[in-house]
Amino acid sequence: MTLPMKLGAVIITMGNRPDELRALLDSVTAQHGDRIEVVVVGNGAPVPDVPAGVRTVELPENLGIPGGRNVGIEAFGPCGADVDALLFLDDDGLLPNRDTAELCRQAFEADPKLGIVTFRIADPETGVTQRRHVPRLRAADPMRSSRVTTFLGGANAVRTKVIAEVGPLPEDFFYAHEETDLAWRALDAGWMIDYRADMVLNHPTTAPSRHAVYHRMVARNRVWLARRNLPAPLVPLYTGVWLLLTLVRRPSPPALKAWFGGFREGWTAPCGIRRPMKWRTVWRLTRLGRPPVI
């Protein structure tokens, strides 16, 4: 008889939502099945009081979302090797159902090639799932589970074998698109990603543009994503499509100025190691409904 998958959880915090963090930790503790070991990373801030048994790491500076999560991964050993899979959860989220961890275990155990599971994010008051939180182009029905090509950063579970094989999140991204970078590398290595509507994280409805760095980093990291991962002919196509989409959406003049500044930075600043995906991965992404040109 095989042992059930061992799960850990990584939560990064800026220390400014202690009540929400405590509620999230309580919801993780309440999960059915074996205990989930939790690491809370203070990303350039002290960690608020946490329950006994929760490990903490306090960083002297804010390393950004991917940098903070990578520190949390390493708290479980090299590439998270002390556990079989890691849950990554936003510190102002909440697991409303007590069977989410068990559903994760069952999903991974049933499909050895399943590398990442992304949860449905729902507003706790209305139950509404924002369209941007459904990681596929056909996002009209958030209650439909499916195979997808990316995942949601603060509401997911990743098999640690994926991290060991393809590497961690790209720390230089700091914020935005780091999940897609990891997702593309995982898909190129033969792993699959599932969006599961029955695995829910409650999270208040927000706009991503609330972050001051949003427009610059979204643009810069789009370019980095393409430069790092796409075959050469697709790099200008992918970035060109997103340039046109941005103009069609008619952002405010300050937002557009920040976006173009990030777009320029994406071409001039180092993007890290380039490992273009195989053309068969491009075809695989296309068959999954999202060719890597949008």
Side-chain angles (χ1 to χ4, degrees), residues 4 45 47 54 65 69 98 104 127-128 151 154 178 214 232 248 273 286 291:
V47 176
V54 173
I65 293 173
R69 286 185 177 142
R98 299 182 66 184
C104 284
V128 171
F151 64 99
E178 68 273 3
Y214 172 77
V248 166
I273 298 173
T286 303

Side-chain angles (χ1 to χ4, degrees), residues 206-228:
T206 57
S209 55
R210 71 190 186 280
H211 298 288
V213 297
Y214 172 77
H215 295 287
R216 178 175 71 87
M217 290 196 174
V218 160
R220 182 195 68 182
N221 293 356
R222 283 276 184 207
V223 178
W224 280 359
L225 186 65
R227 289 176 60 197
R228 285 164 57 91

Side-chain angles (χ1 to χ4, degrees), residues 268-280:
T268 58
C271 65
I273 298 173
R274 173 169 164 76
R275 295 190 179 95
M277 66 177 65
K278 308 173 191 72
W279 282 104
R280 68 168 177 262

Side-chain angles (χ1 to χ4, degrees), residues 44-176:
V47 176
D49 290 337
V50 296
V54 173
R55 289 191 287 156
T56 63
V57 180
E58 293 187 354
L59 303 177
E61 61 179 311
N62 182 355
L63 299 182
I65 293 173
R69 286 185 177 142
N70 285 345
V71 169
I73 292 169
E74 293 301 306
F76 289 94
C79 300
D82 293 345
V83 293
D84 299 304
L86 284 168
L87 280 65
F88 295 92
L89 306 170
D90 277 349
D91 69 340
D92 56 345
L94 182 80
L95 297 174
N97 303 322
R98 299 182 66 184
D99 64 348
T100 301
E102 279 294 278
L103 290 173
C104 284
R105 291 188 183 99
Q106 291 168 13
F108 285 129
E109 289 168 350
D111 185 353
K113 295 308 294 178
L114 178 63
I116 302 171
V117 176
T118 184
F119 307 162
R120 179 169 62 88
I121 295 178
D123 184 272
E125 299 294 329
T126 65
V128 171
T129 296
Q130 292 179 271
R131 185 181 181 87
R132 70 184 181 90
H133 284 153
V134 184
R136 58 180 179 239
L137 291 179
R138 293 179 180 145
D141 182 7
M143 300 306 293
R144 179 174 67 87
S145 299
S146 69
R147 286 262 150 104
V148 289
T149 62
T150 189
F151 64 99
L152 308 171
N156 67 80
V158 179
R159 198 189 291 265
T160 52
K161 286 182 179 178
V162 173
I163 300 166
E165 182 173 354
V166 306
L169 295 159
E171 295 190 7
D172 288 344
F173 278 42
F174 197 85
Y175 166 79

Side-chain angles (χ1 to χ4, degrees), residues 215-293:
H215 295 287
R216 178 175 71 87
M217 290 196 174
V218 160
R220 182 195 68 182
N221 293 356
R222 283 276 184 207
V223 178
W224 280 359
L225 186 65
R227 289 176 60 197
R228 285 164 57 91
N229 295 288
L230 291 181
L234 295 185
V235 174
L237 184 57
Y238 179 85
T239 54
V241 166
W242 280 102
L243 171 61
L244 291 174
L245 284 174
T246 300
L247 295 175
V248 166
R249 290 168 177 171
R250 301 178 66 184
S252 67
L256 191 60
K257 181 179 179 181
W259 193 95
F260 272 110
F263 191 75
R264 182 170 55 252
E265 184 182 353
W267 291 107
T268 58
C271 65
I273 298 173
R274 173 169 164 76
R275 295 190 179 95
M277 66 177 65
K278 308 173 191 72
W279 282 104
R280 68 168 177 262
T281 305
V282 173
W283 175 236
R284 196 165 160 220
L285 289 163
T286 303
R287 286 191 293 112
L288 286 169
R290 190 152 195 164
V293 294

Side-chain angles (χ1 to χ4, degrees), residues 18-58:
D19 294 339
E20 292 90 339
L21 174 61
R22 185 59 182 252
L24 171 62
L25 293 171
D26 289 345
S27 74
V28 173
T29 300
Q31 292 296 300
H32 296 316
D34 291 347
R35 177 178 174 271
I36 301 172
E37 187 175 351
V38 180
V39 170
V40 177
V41 178
N43 212 358
V47 176
D49 290 337
V50 296
V54 173
R55 289 191 287 156
T56 63
V57 180
E58 293 187 354

